[in-house]
Amino acid sequence: MSCVFCGIVAGGLPADVVLDEPELLGFLDRRPVFKGHVLLVPKTHVDTLLELPVSLHATVLEATARLARAAVDGLGAQGTFVAMNNVVSQSVPHLHVHVVPRTKGDGLRGFFWPRTTYSDAADSADHAARLAAALAGPPAS
Ligand code: DGP
């Protein structure tokens, strides 16, 4: 099986499973940012968020919120960092939500969030207009 997360979903590869539901599997990341770092995946393979059926959007977000709650209630985290790489910086091309337990002073500081600035108001307005135009296009299936 070429997709490692499909292998975990199928049970052919080992993982520490924390959530197993009809459409989703949550398991520990083998290289956690912090202990308790969970990856949530749809059992049916899609590469990225752009291919996730709209019918699963709420299901994924709802389970993500429950995992974030579990990090607080079960591990004593103060909060979480929730993230998803799509194509760029995505090392496993099977959609996965990272749910990382966070606590103030844990040492994680803007680890991949270099910030930039808009050159002027026209520059920011141009970016906003291009995004708004794309959003006004035909809806996803
Ligand atoms: P990303 O870089 O956003 O695609 O994150 C992929 C994550 O998947 C990365 O943090 C390491 C984790 N990972 C890769 N292979 C395996 C595996 O076989 N088992 C588990 N549990 N995690 C894996």
Side-chain angles (χ1 to χ4, degrees):
M1 187 169 293
S2 59
C3 172
V4 64
F5 290 172
C6 284
I8 290 172
V9 167
L13 294 174
D16 294 294
V17 172
V18 302
L19 178 152
D20 189 352
E21 296 180 351
E23 292 172 309
L24 303 172
L25 192 74
F27 53 91
L28 295 184
D29 190 305
R30 72 175 178 185
R31 294 185 61 235
V33 175
F34 296 114
K35 293 178 183 178
H37 174 169
V38 171
L39 302 174
L40 177 69
V41 306
K43 287 185 173 176
T44 299
H45 182 101
V46 293
D47 283 4
T48 76
L49 180 62
L50 275 59
E51 292 81 40
L52 184 69
V54 171
S55 59
L56 284 179
H57 286 191
T59 304
V60 169
L61 185 60
E62 187 275 332
T64 299
R66 276 190 283 128
L67 287 168
R69 167 58 63 189
V72 173
D73 293 346
L75 300 177
Q78 291 177 340
T80 49
F81 176 65
V82 172
M84 179 193 298
N85 288 312
N86 288 285
V87 181
V88 177
S89 296
Q90 182 180 6
S91 60
V92 180
H94 180 139
L95 184 155
H96 49 282
V97 182
H98 296 260
V99 183
V100 180
R102 293 295 316 273
T103 296
K104 284 178 188 162
D106 61 20
L108 193 63
R109 283 204 187 86
F111 62 118
F112 55 48
W113 293 86
R115 303 300 177 109
T116 187
T117 55
Y118 294 101
S119 45
D120 53 28
D123 187 22
S124 58
D126 173 64
H127 282 79
R130 286 158 56 194
L131 288 167
L135 288 167
S141 56

